[in-house]
Amino acid sequence: MSQARHNPARGEAMLVVAGKPRLLRPSFHALVLAEEELGPLFALVERAGEGQLRLSEIAALFWHCLAEQGDVTREQVGEAVMAMGLAAAAAPLRTILRQILQGRP
């Protein structure tokens, strides 16, 4: 399986969903949709820093940030997070949260 390219400097990360690598890209549009559902992004970042982020919030943020959602369901994204474990999911989460806080270089 070929690995899709991602650019961590742009806040991009990878997530394997249903056996396929998927690009997570925190675009303005994706983050606006995530914010509408999850509340203010700064509060989301604060909760993450305090270890208070829920699994459903991680899955929702990742789902909104999928560069190509296609037929990927939020449940599949949640299952992908569970399959990799929360410790491994922290890496793409940190990348996205860093993008939210710092923006692009």
Side-chain angles (χ1 to χ4, degrees):
M1 169 179 355
S2 66
Q3 187 77 1
R5 293 188 173 267
H6 69 285
N7 183 350
R10 291 179 50 96
E12 296 175 348
M14 297 303 296
L15 180 69
V16 176
V17 180
K20 293 174 67 175
R22 307 283 181 155
L23 178 64
L24 299 175
R25 178 180 291 141
S27 67
F28 175 76
H29 180 70
L31 294 176
V32 166
L33 293 175
E35 188 172 52
E36 286 177 2
E37 177 180 343
L38 301 170
L41 293 178
F42 194 76
L44 182 83
V45 171
E46 286 182 333
R47 286 195 310 277
E50 296 168 354
Q52 299 298 314
L53 208 56
R54 297 178 181 146
L55 175 61
S56 62
E57 293 175 310
I58 296 169
L61 180 62
F62 285 177
W63 186 78
H64 284 294
C65 289
L66 283 172
E68 295 181 19
Q69 287 178 339
D71 60 352
V72 176
T73 67
R74 189 178 307 215
E75 183 176 344
Q76 287 175 309
V77 173
E79 289 296 326
V81 171
M82 288 306 300
M84 69 189 312
L86 290 176
L93 180 61
R94 269 193 309 273
T95 301
I96 291 172
L97 295 178
R98 185 172 26 253
Q99 176 67 25
I100 291 169
L101 286 174
Q102 296 177 351
R104 294 189 180 125

